[in-house]
Amino acid sequence: MNVAKLMRVVVVLASCPCAILLFSGCESVTGSTPQTLVRVIDASYKAPAVDVYAASTPIAINIGGSTITPYALLPPGTFTATVDPRGTKTPGASTSGTFMSGQEHTILITDASKGFGATVLTDQTSPAPGGFVSLRFIQEAISTGAVDIYLIPDGSVFSDSKPLLTNVVPGTVINYINVPA
């Protein structure tokens, strides 16, 4: 093989990874279906064991307070999620939402003045900026009333700290806040 022909082969082979990289940014794969991710957080002390359905699809069965389920894959769409006392088909609570492709959502079960309720939250899917952590606060201390939220750095004392959030009333969901790590 002469040097000129060998150089052409090297140039062609060297350009192949570029071609692969240029075509790897496809948004979908033929035959795949778009998905949304939905999980359940049961933060209710009043709710009995429950079954949670997104439309008619069961996504959590026989869960109780302090449960965080893994994400379930669902087709995107607008639908109602029902929270039924275990083994019944009578909703104790329900909530509706639009569950878009590529998003992650949480169905939050919480106490209400009478019984329990449900809310759809959209979860953050992007990481916090470098050197930060993203936190979401959910105030569910109904009998306590409004609270102040403090993040006290290691080696600090409470009396020297200032609240990150003040007067957060029950039922409040504070969307993601980036704080130094």
Side-chain angles (χ1 to χ4, degrees):
M1 184 179 275
N2 67 29
V3 174
K5 190 172 184 180
L6 180 60
M7 289 305 291
R8 277 184 269 158
V9 170
V10 170
V11 169
V12 168
L13 291 176
S15 66
C16 286
C18 294
I20 293 169
L21 291 174
L22 290 173
F23 293 109
S24 64
C26 298
E27 290 190 19
S28 64
V29 176
T30 302
S32 71
T33 55
Q35 299 289 313
T36 187
L37 297 170
V38 181
R39 69 176 172 179
V40 178
I41 296 178
D42 187 345
S44 173
Y45 291 100
K46 293 181 181 179
V50 295
D51 300 333
V52 182
Y53 296 87
S56 60
T57 303
I59 59 172
I61 300 298
N62 195 25
I63 64 169
S66 301
T67 299
I68 301 173
T69 68
Y71 284 100
L73 291 169
L74 296 172
T78 299
F79 49 83
T80 298
T82 60
V83 182
D84 305 344
R86 173 72 183 126
T88 72
K89 282 299 216 174
T90 306
S94 65
T95 184
S96 296
T98 300
F99 300 83
M100 300 186 63
S101 178
Q103 287 186 340
E104 297 174 7
H105 301 277
T106 296
I107 298 171
L108 178 65
I109 303 169
T110 58
D111 290 332
S113 58
K114 294 181 181 179
F116 58 97
T119 305
V120 175
L121 304 175
T122 300
D123 298 338
Q124 179 174 298
T125 57
S126 59
F132 287 82
V133 62
S134 292
L135 302 173
R136 174 167 59 188
F137 297 97
I138 301 171
Q139 209 292 45
E140 288 300 315
I142 292 173
S143 61
T144 302
V147 298
D148 296 341
I149 298 174
Y150 291 79
L151 296 179
I152 303 172
D154 191 32
S156 299
V157 292
F158 180 75
S159 60
D160 293 337
S161 300
K162 294 183 180 174
L164 177 67
L165 300 167
T166 59
N167 202 29
V168 181
V169 297
T172 301
V173 176
I174 305 292
N175 248 340
Y176 295 91
I177 299 172
N178 294 324
V179 295

